[in-house]
Amino acid sequence: MSKTAISTENAPKPVAAFSQAVRKGNILQVAGQVAFDPATGAIVGETVGEQTEQTFKNIEAVLEAAGSSLADAVMVRVYLTDVDHFGVFNEVYNKLIGEAPHPARTTVYVGLPAGLLVEIDVLAVVD
């Protein structure tokens, strides 16, 4: 079974040697996405809520390019820069993630490049 790289112009280009997503069989791993505008490369939003919305737009674009959607997500990993951002992030996440059953989720607090408040990667199983 071969691996297939997924790429779309509707999500930011990776800044290093990795794919936006990789699919092997029915497993799809979307690389960590952040709140970059795909056209300009600029950060979208100054708040964690605004950045979360843009990050999900980028994730959805990659999922769509792979013939998938958030409905196929089984695991979401969230990287936040500040524990105080969790409440606002969670409100936006709950609005965007879709109907239950919701994917498993892990939240980690990390450092990200200047201006970025959230990074999210997704594991999906595509039928």
Side-chain angles (χ1 to χ4, degrees), residues 42-110:
I43 296 172
V44 175
E46 295 180 10
T47 69
V48 72
E50 293 167 330
Q51 288 193 19
T52 299
E53 288 181 7
Q54 181 61 43
T55 300
F56 266 93
K57 286 179 186 176
N58 295 339
I59 290 167
E60 289 172 328
V62 175
L63 288 167
E64 183 178 308
S68 184
S69 73
L70 282 173
D72 294 320
V74 295
M75 176 64 188
V76 175
R77 276 179 294 262
V78 179
Y79 306 92
L80 294 173
T81 60
D82 189 330
V83 69
D84 292 335
H85 293 161
F86 183 80
V88 172
F89 163 80
N90 210 39
E91 286 179 28
V92 175
Y93 175 89
N94 287 338
K95 178 180 76 173
L96 298 175
I97 198 60
E99 296 183 23
H102 299 112
R105 187 178 96 192
T106 300
T107 303
V108 180
Y109 299 95
V110 298

